[in-house]
């Protein structure tokens, strides 16, 4: 048995991020649901929620009879049993969101001829049960909701779709692998690999996990299993690492990939470049392994911010394409979405869309920044280079084009390694996944490094292009070992006259670091195995 790693307290910025989220929830009128509320009588159809489609609020028995609070939108005047059938879309709610989350989109879909059933995921708000984190009971719930929809609405059993944002996206993908009735899925801001999302580089994404845990405790009833897993995860209990990985794998669509491909649902994936909960890399890798009809969309922003305006009923590209996806694969409309380039990317710099035939075509040209020489940095100090604050920083980049910044010349070289490219004479269109390869040695057996790629202007101000953490355990102090790290995928244009800089330090408020006090990390570049960062570029 490995000795438990010492508990590391969450940093102030993490606690602040959780507090900000909870305050925002309170401001929106969200209230904790300490106990599942008793079943309420359904509201009258055609209530003030929708002026067009018919709507009713219902209780749906989920797995084991657990009551799931739901709302049902049907095309105006449509009734079960009158012979006319409509395609249906099931929408599981996002983590911590109430059942009215999708009302605006549900009304639009119903007005265009869909039966739409949105339900509050188990353990949250007034639905019964405990939070299972997309476990087997959540997957079974999705099938129970489909059963209810087919029995109680004029839904066509051959035309069932599922969609959702975040938690709803993950449940929809998992359901597509376990229920052959699901013919089409739109999974927005979701995950394909839960471990590669919040434990990438073997590093706990502290703010992400704390946000999920805090929001879950505020709005629902976390299961004992979830509470223990979060405790072990945030407490860096390496004795439980294998158990935590197994827990996450069970809840990862990539684990069920063969079943998803076997069932053949048409799957559309959408995410944001700066998603601090579910980074884009794991979605792109999952997309490449899908064998059925598929589409991948990446846009600027952070977790769920690309879809947020659509939830308010405002024009939104993600939701527009979601309806087009269902119109084609459930209704059979020849709207051209199947003929477009299946990989659609929106640049953080230009705001324009680019189409590609597949993910590997996104950044076919690679330029290397050499990491020559030997550089030693001291650990345990935040140098000032960091990935920002979860949700907030990348939302600012999305709406105001203000990414996290750092003055690269002023970064303390005692605590940072810095390697820069030449000054570019033309625009460099970074597309895809930058990769770091280096040789590392440490004075301690455990440690963490965080790599950042900056766009550095003439005055030395660096705008964050991408980043990623890396943690190691059980290494022999002083003995070099190889490190290969993929930074989070992105689409960013570096202007002519600027440089790219790779910066490495050991502390970032987004992540839990594992550097013992007094640790030093040395980066070297052996002649037989040079160190570099490889940057993917779009063809000019």
């Amino acid at each position: 048995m490995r000795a438990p790693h010492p508990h590391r307290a969450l940093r102030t910025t993490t606690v602040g991020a959780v507090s900000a989220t909870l305050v925002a929830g309170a401001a929106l009128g969200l209230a904790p649901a300490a106990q599942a509320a008793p079943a309420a009588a359904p509201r009258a159809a055609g209530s003030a929620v929708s002026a067009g489609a018919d709507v009713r609020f219902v209780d749906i028995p989920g797995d084991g009879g657990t009551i799931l609070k739901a709302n049902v939108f049907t095309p105006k005047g449509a009734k079960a049993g009158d012979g006319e059938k409509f395609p249906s879309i099931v929408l599981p709610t996002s983590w911590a969101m109430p059942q009215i989350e999708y009302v605006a989109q549900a009304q639009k879909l119903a007005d265009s001829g869909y039966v739409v059933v949105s339900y509050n995921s188990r353990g949250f708000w007034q639905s019964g049960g405990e939070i299972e984190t997309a476990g087997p009971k959540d997957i079974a719930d999705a099938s129970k909701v489909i059963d209810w929809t087919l029995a109680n609405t004029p839904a066509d059993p051959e035309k069932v779709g599922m969609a959702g944002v975040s938690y709803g996206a993950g449940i929809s993908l998992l359901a597509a692998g376990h229920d052959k009735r699901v013919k089409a899925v739109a999974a927005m801001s979701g995950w394909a690999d839960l471990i590669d999302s919040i434990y990438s580089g073997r590093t706990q994404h502290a703010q992400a996990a704390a946000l999920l845990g805090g929001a879950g405790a505020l709005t629902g009833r976390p299961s004992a299993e979830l509470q223990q897993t979060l405790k072990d995860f945030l407490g860096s209990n390496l004795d439980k690492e294998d158990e935590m990985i197994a827990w996450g794998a069970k809840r990862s669509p990539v684990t069920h990939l063969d079943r998803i491909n076997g069932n053949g649902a048409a799957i559309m994936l959408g995410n944001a470049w700066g998603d601090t909960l579910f980074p884009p890399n794991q979605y792109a890798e999952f997309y490449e392994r899908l064998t059925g009809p598929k589409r991948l969309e990446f846009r600027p922003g952070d977790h769920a911010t690309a879809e947020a305006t659509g939830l308010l009923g405002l024009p939104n590209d993600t939701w527009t394409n979601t309806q087009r996806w269902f119109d084609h694969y459930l209704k059979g409309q020849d709207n051209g979405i199947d003929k477009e380039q299946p990989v659609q990317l929106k640049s953080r710099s230009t705001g324009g869309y680019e189409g590609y035939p597949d993910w590997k075509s996104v950044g076919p040209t690679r330029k290397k920044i050499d990491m020559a020489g030997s550089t030693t940095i001291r650990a345990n100090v935040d140098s000032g280079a960091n990935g920002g604050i979860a949700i907030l920083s990348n939302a600012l980049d999305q709406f105001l084009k203000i990414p996290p910044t750092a003055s690269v010349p002023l970064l303390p070289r005692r605590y940072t390694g810095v390697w820069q490219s030449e000054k570019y004479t033309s625009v460099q269109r970074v597309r895809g996944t930058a990769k770091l390869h280096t040789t590392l040695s440490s004075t301690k057996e455990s440690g963490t490094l965080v790599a950042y790629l900056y766009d550095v202007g003439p005055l030395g101000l660096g705008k964050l292009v991408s980043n990623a953490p890396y943690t190691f355990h059980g290494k022999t102090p002083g003995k070099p070992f190889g490190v290969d790290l993929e930074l989070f995928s992105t689409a960013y244009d570096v202007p002519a006259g600027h440089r790219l800089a790779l910066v490495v330090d050991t502390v970032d408020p987004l992540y839990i670091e594992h550097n013992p006090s007094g640790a030093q990390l040395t980066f070297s570049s052996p002649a037989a195995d040079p160190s570099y960062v490889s940057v993917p570029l779009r063809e000019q």
Side-chain angles (χ1 to χ4, degrees):
M1 294 289 287
R2 291 169 291 188
H5 194 76
H7 175 77
R8 298 182 183 274
L10 294 180
R11 302 191 177 276
T12 303
T13 49
T14 303
V15 177
V18 177
S19 300
T21 299
L22 302 188
V23 168
L28 291 171
L30 308 185
Q35 301 291 330
R43 302 182 192 179
S47 67
V49 176
S50 170
D54 293 327
V55 59
R56 54 194 173 116
F57 289 77
V58 300
D59 294 343
I60 298 179
D63 184 55
T66 297
I67 294 299
L68 306 174
K69 295 292 182 175
N71 54 70
V72 183
F73 285 77
T74 52
K76 191 68 176 178
K79 295 180 180 179
D82 65 2
E84 186 176 12
K85 296 292 185 181
F86 299 87
S88 63
I89 299 173
V90 172
L91 301 167
T93 55
S94 304
W95 187 273
M97 292 296 287
Q99 62 157 303
I100 60 171
E101 175 184 11
Y102 302 113
V103 160
Q105 290 300 324
Q107 178 178 339
K108 288 184 178 181
L109 288 165
D111 287 343
S112 63
Y114 290 92
V115 171
V116 185
V117 179
S118 172
Y119 70 95
N120 228 120
S121 303
R122 80 164 44 223
F124 287 104
W125 294 89
Q126 290 183 315
S127 283
E130 297 178 327
I131 302 171
E132 302 289 339
T133 323
K137 292 181 180 179
D138 291 299
I139 300 171
D141 283 345
S143 289
K144 290 290 188 181
V145 172
I146 293 173
D147 291 343
W148 186 94
T149 301
L150 297 178
N152 295 277
T153 73
D156 186 336
E158 301 300 319
K159 299 177 180 179
V160 177
M162 288 192 68
V165 175
S166 185
Y167 196 45
I171 292 174
S172 295
L173 286 173
L174 288 163
H178 290 78
D179 195 320
K180 293 182 178 180
R181 295 173 297 183
V182 179
K183 304 301 183 186
V185 170
M188 297 164 271
S189 290
W191 73 94
D193 187 328
L194 193 56
I195 297 302
D196 199 33
S197 293
I198 61 174
Y199 195 49
S200 71
R202 207 181 177 187
T203 308
Q204 297 101 319
H205 294 210
Q207 288 188 16
L211 282 168
L212 292 170
L218 176 71
T219 61
R221 299 165 301 283
S223 66
E225 182 182 32
L226 172 57
Q227 293 180 61
Q228 186 61 51
T229 300
L230 279 172
K231 180 180 179 181
D232 291 335
F233 184 79
L234 293 173
S236 303
N237 186 354
L238 289 181
D239 275 351
K240 296 296 184 70
E241 183 179 37
D242 290 342
E243 291 180 29
M244 289 187 283
I245 289 174
W247 178 87
K250 182 188 297 184
R251 291 158 168 81
S252 297
V254 70
T255 302
H256 309 277
L257 181 67
D258 289 345
R259 297 184 66 162
I260 293 171
N261 282 335
N263 288 348
I267 294 178
M268 174 180 143
L269 304 173
N271 204 356
W273 293 119
D275 194 320
T276 42
L277 271 63
F278 307 130
N281 303 44
Q282 45 93 34
Y283 240 24
E285 292 170 9
F286 179 70
Y287 169 83
E288 286 289 87
R289 297 174 63 186
L290 290 171
T291 58
K294 58 184 180 179
R295 182 179 176 94
L296 177 67
E297 300 182 352
F298 284 140
R299 297 177 174 86
D302 207 308
H303 185 67
T305 63
E307 302 86 26
T309 55
L311 294 175
L312 299 175
L314 301 174
N316 182 276
D317 291 352
T318 309
W319 283 102
T320 295
N321 287 342
T322 291
Q323 181 163 342
R324 293 177 64 222
W325 191 252
F326 288 129
D327 284 348
H328 180 75
Y329 286 102
L330 294 184
K331 287 186 176 181
Q333 288 185 7
D334 186 14
N335 58 15
I337 196 167
D338 58 318
K339 300 179 180 67
E340 297 171 359
Q341 295 277 37
V343 175
Q344 293 286 324
L345 310 181
K346 189 173 185 180
S347 167
R348 290 168 52 197
S349 302
T350 65
Y353 283 97
E354 303 166 0
Y356 299 87
D358 49 39
W359 177 248
K360 63 179 178 289
S361 300
V362 168
T365 302
R366 285 191 170 267
K367 282 189 178 180
K368 290 183 178 180
I369 301 173
D370 293 329
M371 299 171 60
S374 179
T375 300
T376 298
I377 63 174
R378 290 169 172 78
N380 311 120
V381 172
D382 187 343
S383 70
N386 63 64
I389 299 173
I391 310 299
L392 176 62
S393 295
N394 290 314
L396 288 175
D397 183 37
Q398 174 186 359
F399 295 110
L400 301 176
K401 288 189 167 48
I402 304 176
T405 59
S407 177
V408 174
L410 297 181
L411 291 173
R413 296 314 196 254
R414 182 182 181 90
Y415 303 107
T416 53
V418 179
W419 298 266
Q420 297 193 75
S421 72
E422 74 281 3
K423 186 180 294 185
Y424 297 118
T425 58
S426 61
V427 175
Q428 304 294 296
R429 295 181 172 86
V430 180
R431 300 290 186 275
T433 310
K435 298 178 181 181
L436 168 67
H437 173 76
T438 190
T439 297
L440 177 66
S441 61
S442 173
T443 57
K444 307 291 183 179
E445 67 171 16
S446 295
T448 296
L449 64 92
V450 185
Y452 310 89
L453 191 63
Y454 282 103
D455 160 23
V456 184
L459 299 180
L461 182 66
K463 296 182 178 181
L464 187 65
V465 177
S466 183
N467 77 99
Y470 179 90
T471 294
F472 58 89
H473 296 291
K475 299 296 184 182
T476 302
K479 183 178 180 180
F481 58 94
V483 171
D484 287 286
L485 174 64
E486 288 190 349
L487 277 63
F488 301 136
S489 305
T490 195
Y492 182 97
D493 292 355
V494 181
H498 288 213
R499 306 173 187 267
L500 279 172
L502 177 74
V503 174
V504 178
D505 71 1
T506 62
V507 176
D508 189 306
L510 286 171
Y511 313 113
I512 291 179
E513 51 100 358
H514 295 262
N515 296 293
S517 180
Q520 297 183 34
L521 304 182
T522 297
F523 300 86
S524 58
S525 184
D529 186 19
S531 296
Y532 59 85
V533 58
S534 173
V535 180
L537 300 175
R538 179 187 175 191
E539 292 181 348
Q540 301 299 317

